[in-house]
Amino acid sequence: MEKDGVRLPEYSVLMSVYKGERPEFLKECIDSMLGQTFASDDFVLVCDGPLTKELDSVISEYEQKHECFRVLRLPQNMGVGHCANEGLKMCRNEYIVKMDSDDIALPERCELSMYMMAKHPGVDMLGAYISEFDSDTGEEIAVRKTPAGDSAIRKYARRRNPFNNPTLVYKKSWVEKIGGYTTVRRCEDYDFVVRMLAAGAVGRNIPKVLVRYRVNGGNYDRRRNWANTRSFIAVRWKIYRSGFSGLWDFTVTTAAQLVMFLLPSSLTGRFYKKLLR
């Protein structure tokens, strides 16, 4: 496909799903990626351990209807990072478009992303804005914006992930260069992005909403549980020890995460929106 005289490169879609996902959300997500204005010829779905019969039924339907849709089933739940590494081995193209199994991509997401990557071949990792919406009502909640250029992305990354993970596009060769994702069970996306930037990968964000991000009460509960909090601190400590961020960056973000952990559930969402987004 060409856009404004620019030939768009082929890309692979990489997703993972686990047994806790709702079948209707997975179906809506897959449909949004298969219905892109610039469609992929390679869609890899990694099943993170055994799934429910309902999820298996949804996946089987797509396997039968779409030749590009390929499934890798892992025998047990291994986590997002491990799934990404295994899925990357199957991906046929240099450009990888990541997607979460319950979000919704806007129709032009991949066309605009590949156009940007083609026009700027020096960019190794690309993201965009997301629009958060209430999973129950469909109501739009907020737009999560991210810094545009590489310099601003690097500065932002000292404290927070400068990319909205469901919008991420990157070059497979760069991921292979850094050894893939690590085995951390939480905050693996932030850890991955910082390791890419630290190795010299050039980042950029499109200042436009390209993905609708599903939000419910469980999102905030996951952010404030102790396992997530401990992993959050461990990853940021690792980033600080690597020299990518400073001690003050580590202190500020850790303090904010601990405050959120200690807050009552009724205040968690408000605190997150004001200070952590």
Side-chain angles (χ1 to χ4, degrees):
M1 177 178 177
E2 286 194 5
K3 181 179 177 68
D4 298 337
V6 177
R7 183 70 180 177
L8 305 188
E10 297 294 340
Y11 64 93
S12 297
V13 176
L14 178 58
M15 277 177 51
S16 63
V17 63
Y18 81 113
K19 65 181 181 181
E21 189 58 85
R22 289 173 57 173
E24 63 270 28
F25 292 170
L26 177 63
K27 182 174 176 57
E28 194 171 7
C29 175
I30 295 174
D31 284 342
S32 76
M33 292 305 292
L34 290 174
Q36 291 290 302
T37 55
F38 175 43
S40 174
D41 63 350
D42 185 38
F43 192 135
V44 176
L45 176 68
V46 182
C47 301
D48 193 7
L51 305 179
T52 64
K53 291 181 179 179
E54 291 78 11
L55 286 170
D56 281 332
S57 177
V58 169
I59 293 169
S60 178
E61 178 184 336
Y62 288 104
E63 282 185 290
Q64 294 172 23
K65 291 183 178 179
H66 301 274
E67 289 185 8
C68 69
F69 192 82
R70 299 183 295 137
V71 179
L72 172 63
R73 295 182 180 275
L74 302 182
Q76 58 185 347
N77 182 272
M78 300 295 292
V80 175
H82 186 86
C83 286
N85 288 335
E86 294 303 312
L88 278 165
K89 296 175 185 177
M90 288 183 61
C91 290
R92 296 167 176 160
N93 297 309
E94 165 70 348
Y95 291 93
I96 308 297
V97 173
K98 285 278 285 164
M99 187 62 179
D100 289 348
S101 59
D102 60 349
D103 298 325
I104 303 169
L106 299 189
E108 291 187 340
R109 177 202 168 180
C110 296
E111 180 181 336
L112 293 178
S113 296
M114 290 302 107
Y115 178 68
M116 181 66 72
M117 296 294 267
K119 282 198 69 176
H120 303 278
V123 172
D124 307 301
M125 189 163 44
L126 180 73
Y129 296 173
I130 59 174
S131 173
E132 298 180 343
F133 72 99
D134 188 298
S135 182
D136 297 323
T137 66
E139 179 185 359
E140 300 296 328
I141 299 173
V143 172
R144 191 192 298 175
K145 299 181 178 181
T146 42
D150 186 67
S151 179
I153 284 171
R154 289 177 181 278
K155 181 178 179 181
Y156 194 95
R158 295 203 298 262
R159 296 190 180 184
R160 288 174 285 181
N161 193 340
F163 295 97
N164 288 312
N165 192 55
T167 70
L168 203 57
V169 179
Y170 49 70
K171 294 176 179 176
K172 183 178 179 179
S173 57
W174 259 99
V175 182
E176 293 171 340
K177 186 181 298 186
I178 67 166
Y181 285 76
T182 57
T183 56
V184 294
R185 295 286 292 197
R186 293 175 175 83
C187 300
E188 67 287 324
D189 52 344
Y190 181 36
D191 175 76
F192 169 77
V193 161
V194 168
R195 289 171 54 241
M196 288 277 281
L197 293 172
V202 175
R204 185 163 183 162
N205 276 301
I206 299 173
K208 183 176 182 177
V209 171
L210 294 184
V211 171
R212 298 183 69 223
Y213 178 82
R214 195 180 299 276
V215 174
N216 54 48
N219 291 75
Y220 298 130
D221 289 339
R222 285 193 295 274
R223 289 189 180 105
R224 68 184 299 274
N225 68 41
W226 176 241
N228 188 66
T229 300
R230 183 174 55 188
S231 182
F232 178 102
I233 295 171
V235 167
R236 276 155 178 76
W237 178 251
K238 176 185 174 185
I239 291 170
Y240 161 65
R241 290 296 301 272
S242 74
F244 188 87
S245 65
L247 182 59
W248 184 242
D249 298 312
F250 170 77
T251 302
V252 169
T253 53
T254 297
Q257 188 70 24
L258 287 172
V259 168
M260 190 167 72
F261 172 69
L262 295 171
L263 279 177
S265 298
S266 58
L267 297 178
T268 300
R270 191 179 307 171
F271 180 78
Y272 169 73
K273 290 175 183 177
K274 283 189 173 295
L275 295 180
L276 296 182
R277 177 182 287 124

